[in-house]
């Protein structure tokens, strides 16, 4: 009986397995193979070389990679600091108001990211919503904050806000109230409780939220293009250019592979560190 | 034979033991309201240094709320808490020198046994070496093997976790150690073992223990004094024997286990009106201290284990005639239900070796002595 169940289970997972293979693994393999082709070829049947990877260092693509990773790191750290109090409130304090907040944040996702980013352009540009009003009232204008690195980080924080907030709230909800109370009872101050109890016990949520926002921010393109005005060229931009205008698929593939490897390594390291089962609601033991 | 005087409900009564000069903790008219609902309704209490006090009450009696106020996790609506003569009701929990063992134990799941026990010492800024030494001492005190120091708390059994929670609380070295029904989640046998261990621990540490539970048995085994709580008030505070033998109200009498209660009114004769009880001792009830003023109402109480089956010709201070209706085996004891002529039911409990030799439906005579009789005046 149990063996039959297992066979049926395996059989019913086959279609999904096939889709995963074709839609996920196969393209990755193609990209991996292409990354080891000589520059600017359009076929995988060439003798492999690693000139595309060499271009990463020789032609300065590593700078784009560092910008992407750096801004992703900055936005993740800012997101964590900004989201923690709110997530704490949602998990432990707000009660019914939590659902209002959740809906408010989720509704913002209903509008396309690009449109929301252009909304910020209209708000922040010289002669836009803010500067325009200030100039009309005071006669004095000021420089637009647009097209700079800080504004790119700001927009990354803005766009990936929900991806940090919700996992964090989920993680904090897993911190047992009585453990916090017991810590206070044993003499711990609020800060001690934060560092000794809240942060370690909410770690799964922190890891999931940080990974999501970091991974998405590292591969983000629209923020640097629309609000950043390509002040800095991010790695996703370079990849797109390589595949399109550049007509250099091996270069695009090599850059992709480097990004994928870094992100995968981070993800695997992070996930190995925490008990993901806990946050997914599956309780072992 | 003296009977306990009537005690006004909610008042502090101390019986049996000698009192030291200053109580370690004194509650002065503590009130806790949640909106319209009054959970704790004007409680006074003095806790002596080194005593084991248990607060017992049914669920919803306000005992959990009370203890949470005492440790500082719940704000006091009204009244004052004095710890060694210092007012502490507005002091936050982390600044009070008291500590609680939670019902859930509230161990820190991300820490090892050692880290859990050392937590309060770490907060106090003790050195790692000193912390470890103290943790090992406490493991030994609670009879946990030394290698548990590095074990994860989630890998420990219920009884072990219990001991770890205790060790952690003792590491804090509190002035008073509070317990919020920490044994309620354990199975019966383990609970019995830990009750005795807790009592033993109290004797070895001589710390002040304040324990709350809904289980009277637990309270009886461990405590120096028991405070019975109902509807946010203390009904009676006394040593276990007195609470059992001389309850101040029907509530306490019934809460303390099986009991036979008879409503009586002021009487001057040897006939307790309408109860079907005959008095046989020297004729007059008043002589044994159970007399009530004319028209005064009271309740006559006798515990089932003091009632016995009389053989014909045998006599005792009180007599009741009835029909044996049921018999239940309770392990070491046998319980009987006897219906009297006027329809009231009596419960009798005998040791197995004193088992009644007869059958259901027998006409029986029950008897008990004046020493086992208590009059409740409410």
């Amino acid at each position: 009986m149990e063996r039959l169940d297992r066979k049926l289970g395996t059989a019913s997972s086959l279609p999904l397995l096939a889709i995963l293979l074709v839609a996920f693994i196969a393209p990755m393999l193609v990209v991996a193979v292409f990354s080891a082709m000589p520059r600017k070829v359009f076929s995988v049947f060439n003798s492999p070389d690693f000139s595309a990877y060499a271009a990463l260092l020789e032609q300065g693509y590593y700078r784009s990679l560092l910008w992407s990773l750096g801004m992703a790191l900055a936005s993740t750290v800012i997101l964590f600091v900004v989201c923690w109090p709110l997530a704490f409130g949602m998990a432990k304090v707000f009660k019914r108001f939590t659902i209002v907040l959740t809906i408010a944040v989720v509704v913002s996702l209903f509008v396309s990211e690009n449109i929301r980013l252009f909304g910020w352009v209209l708000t922040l540009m010289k002669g836009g919503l803010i500067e325009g009003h200030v100039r009309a009232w005071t006669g004095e204008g000021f420089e637009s904050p647009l097209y700079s690195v800080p504004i790119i980080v700001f927009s990354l924080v803005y766009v990936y806000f929900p991806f940090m907030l919700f996992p964090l709230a989920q993680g904090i909800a897993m911190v047992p109230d009585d453990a916090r109370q017991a810590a206070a009872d044993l003499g711990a101050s609020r800060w001690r409780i934060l560092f000794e109890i809240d942060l370690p016990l909410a770690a799964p949520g922190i890891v999931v939220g940080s990974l999501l926002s970091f991974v998405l921010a590292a591969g983000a393109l629209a923020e640097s293009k629309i609000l950043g005005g390509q002040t800095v060229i991010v790695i996703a931009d370079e990849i797109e250019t390589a595949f399109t205008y550049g007509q250099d698929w091996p270069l695009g593939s090599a850059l992709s592979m480097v990004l994928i490897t870094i992100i995968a390594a981070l993800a695997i390291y992070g996930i190995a560190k925490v008990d993901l089962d806990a946050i997914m609601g599956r309780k072992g033991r | 034979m003296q009977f306990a005087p009537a005690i006004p409900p909610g008042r502090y009564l101390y019986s049996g033991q000698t009192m030291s000069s200053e109580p370690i903790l004194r509650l002065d008219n503590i009130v806790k309201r949640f909106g319209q609902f009054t959970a704790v309704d004007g409680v006074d209490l003095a806790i002596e240094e080194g005593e084991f006090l248990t607060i017992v009450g049914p669920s919803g009696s306000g005992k959990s709320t009370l203890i949470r106020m005492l440790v500082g996790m719940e704000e006091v609506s009204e009244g004052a808490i004095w710890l060694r003569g210092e007012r502490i009701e507005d002091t936050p929990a982390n600044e009070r020198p008291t500590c609680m063992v939670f019902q859930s134990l509230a161990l820190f799941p991300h820490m090892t046994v050692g880290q859990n026990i050392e937590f309060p010492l770490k907060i106090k800024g003790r050195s790692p070496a000193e912390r470890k030494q103290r943790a090992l001492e406490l493991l030994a005190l609670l009879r946990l093997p030394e290698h548990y120091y590095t074990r994860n708390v989630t890998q420990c059994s219920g009884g072990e976790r219990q001991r770890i929670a205790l060790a952690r609380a003792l590491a804090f070295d509190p002035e008073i150690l509070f317990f919020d029904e920490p044994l309620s989640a354990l199975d019966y046998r383990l609970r019995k073992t830990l009750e005795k261990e807790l009592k033993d621990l109290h004797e070895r540490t001589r710390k002040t223990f304040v324990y709350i539970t809904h289980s009277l048995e637990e309270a009886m085994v461990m405590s120096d004094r028991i405070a019975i709580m109902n509807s946010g008030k203390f009904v009676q505070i006394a040593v276990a024997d007195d609470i059992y033998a001389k309850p101040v109200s029907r509530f306490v009498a019934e809460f303390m286990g099986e009991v036979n209660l008879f409503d009586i009114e002021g009487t001057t004769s040897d006939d307790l009106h309408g109860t079907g009880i005959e008095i046989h001792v020297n004729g007059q009830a008043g002589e044994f201290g159970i007399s009530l003023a004319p028209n005064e109402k009271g309740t006559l109480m006798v515990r089932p284990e003091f009632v016995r089956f009389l053989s014909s010709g045998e006599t005792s201070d009180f007599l009741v005639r009835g029909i044996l209706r049921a018999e239940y085996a309770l392990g070491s004891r046998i319980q009987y239900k006897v219906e009297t002529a006027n329809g009231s039911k009596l419960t009798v409990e005998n040791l197995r070796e004193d088992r009644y030799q007869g059958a259901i439906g027998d006409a029986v005579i029950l008897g008990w002595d004046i020493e086992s009789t208590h009059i409740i005046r409410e």
Side-chain angles (χ1 to χ4, degrees):
Chain A
M1 189 61 202
E2 226 171 80
R3 287 185 59 181
L4 180 66
D5 275 355
R6 202 170 304 158
K7 274 183 191 163
L8 283 172
T10 314
S12 52
S13 73
L14 282 178
L16 186 67
L17 204 65
I19 290 172
L20 277 177
L21 277 174
V22 172
F24 191 70
I25 308 286
M28 293 271 277
L29 278 176
V30 172
V31 169
V33 174
F34 252 116
S35 73
M37 291 290 117
R39 302 285 296 272
K40 303 214 173 190
V41 299
F42 295 99
S43 156
V44 292
F45 302 108
N46 292 287
S47 55
D49 74 12
F50 292 91
S51 54
Y53 284 98
L56 188 77
L57 291 174
E58 288 161 8
Q59 297 180 21
Y61 290 109
Y62 68 90
R63 256 171 292 176
S64 299
L65 186 65
L66 289 180
W67 272 117
S68 277
L69 295 177
M71 290 193 297
L73 182 67
S75 60
T76 304
V77 170
I78 294 170
L79 270 171
F80 174 68
V81 174
V82 169
C83 287
W84 179 271
L86 194 58
F88 192 91
M90 288 172 74
K92 297 284 184 195
V93 187
F94 295 157
K95 299 192 171 82
R96 253 176 297 174
F97 182 61
T98 299
I99 189 74
V100 179
L101 257 175
T102 307
I103 291 170
V105 175
V106 168
V107 160
S108 77
L109 294 175
F110 290 4
V111 181
S112 139
E113 182 189 327
N114 285 4
I115 293 177
R116 280 183 290 143
L117 288 177
F118 276 117
W120 278 111
V121 173
L122 292 178
T123 309
L124 296 174
M125 69 184 194
K126 203 163 172 68
L129 194 64
I130 295 175
E131 200 265 353
H133 274 98
V134 170
R135 190 144 44 108
W137 289 331
T138 63
E140 279 302 302
F142 53 83
E143 280 308 304
S144 159
L146 283 177
Y147 316 126
S148 62
V149 171
I151 206 71
I152 301 175
V153 173
F154 165 79
S155 58
L156 290 172
V157 167
Y158 163 72
V159 168
Y160 299 115
F161 191 75
F163 297 91
M164 178 64 94
L165 181 68
F166 294 128
L168 216 50
Q170 187 69 36
I172 295 169
M174 296 185 344
V175 180
D177 286 334
D178 58 8
R180 309 185 74 249
Q181 288 175 346
D185 191 35
L186 293 166
S189 63
R190 279 166 191 267
W191 285 107
R192 287 309 279 266
I193 295 172
L194 175 66
F195 287 110
E196 306 270 356
I197 309 293
D198 290 339
L199 289 177
L201 286 177
I206 297 171
V207 168
V208 170
S210 303
L211 274 179
L212 275 177
S213 13
F214 183 84
V215 167
L216 290 170
L221 179 55
E223 289 78 7
S224 77
K225 273 192 161 175
I226 298 172
L227 283 170
Q230 295 188 308
T231 323
V232 292
I233 309 292
V234 294
I235 190 69
D237 209 350
E238 302 279 20
I239 294 170
E240 192 200 24
T241 307
F243 274 110
T244 54
Y245 306 114
Q247 294 290 299
D248 194 345
W249 291 9
L251 175 64
S253 300
L255 297 179
S256 302
M257 285 315 292
V258 172
L259 187 60
I260 289 168
T261 310
I262 292 172
I263 286 172
L266 264 174
I268 291 167
Y269 175 78
I271 288 169
K273 277 267 166 193
V274 295
D275 179 14
L276 269 193
D277 279 355
I279 205 165
M280 302 299 252
R282 273 174 292 149
K283 288 275 180 210
R285 248 183 286 284
Chain B
M1 182 79 207
Q2 271 297 104
F3 284 91
I7 298 147
R11 282 277 132 206
Y12 164 60
L13 168 83
Y14 195 89
S15 60
Q17 290 182 323
T18 50
M19 283 168 93
S20 62
S21 54
E22 162 119 18
I24 184 164
L25 194 76
R26 193 155 59 79
L27 316 190
D28 194 2
N29 192 32
I30 296 293
V31 177
K32 178 66 187 182
R33 285 184 215 94
F34 295 104
Q36 291 292 307
F37 175 67
T38 306
V40 176
D41 191 5
V43 160
D44 298 321
L45 178 66
I47 296 167
E48 300 307 317
E49 178 108 48
E51 82 168 316
F52 196 139
L53 175 84
T54 303
I55 300 171
V56 198
S59 46
S61 57
K63 57 189 192 302
S64 271
T65 309
L66 178 64
I67 204 167
R68 290 176 64 82
M69 286 191 284
L70 299 188
V71 290
M73 284 171 206
E74 202 79 67
E75 276 179 33
V76 174
S77 303
E78 240 177 69
I81 304 172
W82 303 81
L83 181 82
R84 293 195 196 286
E86 205 176 308
R87 273 185 87 147
I88 58 156
E89 73 269 15
D90 293 328
T91 311
N94 60 354
E95 289 166 28
R96 292 192 195 186
T98 57
C99 172
M100 176 161 101
V101 177
F102 286 62
Q103 180 164 20
S104 63
L105 304 182
L107 294 174
F108 306 131
H110 57 301
M111 297 183 192
T112 62
V113 172
Q115 286 168 329
N116 262 279
I117 298 174
E118 286 179 17
F119 183 82
L121 300 169
K122 193 173 165 191
I123 297 293
K124 284 180 181 170
R126 301 285 156 75
S127 74
E130 192 188 341
R131 279 173 358 214
K132 180 163 187 182
Q133 190 200 339
R134 183 71 185 130
L136 292 176
E137 279 169 24
L138 286 164
L139 281 176
L141 178 73
L142 289 151
R143 305 198 176 92
L144 284 166
E146 198 169 289
H147 68 266
Y148 270 50
Y149 182 80
T150 49
R151 185 172 281 212
N152 195 303
V153 282
T154 51
Q155 293 169 325
C156 297
S157 72
E160 287 160 1
R161 293 162 64 92
Q162 189 69 52
R163 294 188 182 101
I164 298 159
L166 251 170
R168 187 180 67 179
L170 288 170
F172 180 72
D173 195 21
E175 295 269 357
I176 304 175
L177 191 47
F178 292 96
F179 298 83
D180 183 6
E181 305 203 36
L183 302 182
S184 59
L186 301 174
D187 67 66
Y188 182 80
R189 277 185 56 188
L190 187 53
R191 211 161 64 223
K192 291 287 128 197
T193 315
L194 287 169
E195 279 170 13
K196 298 202 177 72
E197 277 185 26
L198 213 54
K199 188 178 169 68
D200 181 45
L201 186 74
H202 176 249
E203 268 150 28
R204 275 184 289 160
T205 58
R206 291 322 305 179
K207 282 216 173 293
T208 310
F209 282 21
V210 178
Y211 192 99
I212 70 169
T213 177
H214 61 268
S215 157
L216 188 82
E217 233 182 304
E218 222 166 273
M220 302 270 282
V221 170
M222 297 185 298
S223 335
D224 297 325
R225 275 196 308 158
I226 297 176
I228 307 268
M229 200 168 179
N230 192 30
S231 311
K233 284 181 168 150
F234 284 137
V235 189
Q236 188 171 8
I237 304 170
V239 297
D241 284 351
D242 281 359
I243 292 232
Y244 187 76
K246 298 166 190 169
V248 295
S249 68
R250 288 185 78 112
F251 170 79
V252 177
E254 284 171 339
F255 191 68
M256 296 296 289
E258 287 272 4
V259 68
N260 296 304
L261 298 170
F262 302 93
D263 291 323
I264 54 171
E265 261 180 60
T267 175
T268 49
S269 73
D270 57 356
D271 170 31
L272 292 170
H273 296 291
T275 57
I277 303 173
E278 302 161 28
I279 300 175
H280 281 231
V281 192
N282 307 331
Q284 289 288 314
E287 287 177 26
F288 346 112
I290 64 161
S291 79
L292 297 168
N295 301 321
E296 188 187 352
K297 286 189 189 334
T299 308
L300 185 147
M301 179 198 102
V302 61
R303 295 273 172 202
E305 65 270 26
F306 294 119
V307 184
R308 59 184 192 275
F309 291 91
L310 300 181
S311 47
S312 58
E314 197 183 346
T315 188
S316 71
D317 299 345
F318 294 88
L319 279 185
V320 171
R321 289 162 210 280
I323 309 288
L324 179 60
R325 290 297 182 199
E327 178 183 314
Y328 308 100
L330 306 179
S332 61
R333 290 158 303 134
I334 313 283
Q335 189 182 81
Y336 305 92
K337 296 284 180 191
V338 173
E339 192 178 343
T340 64
N342 66 357
S344 57
K345 284 241 164 61
L346 248 90
T347 307
V348 183
E349 275 182 27
N350 281 355
L351 287 173
R352 195 170 271 274
E353 68 232 45
D354 302 329
R355 193 170 196 155
Y356 171 70
Q357 304 297 324
I360 306 292
D362 281 2
V364 293
I365 307 171
L366 301 174
W368 66 89
D369 297 330
I370 188 74
E371 288 78 18
S372 330
T373 312
H374 173 61
I375 303 291
I376 301 166
R377 296 155 216 249
E378 287 183 77

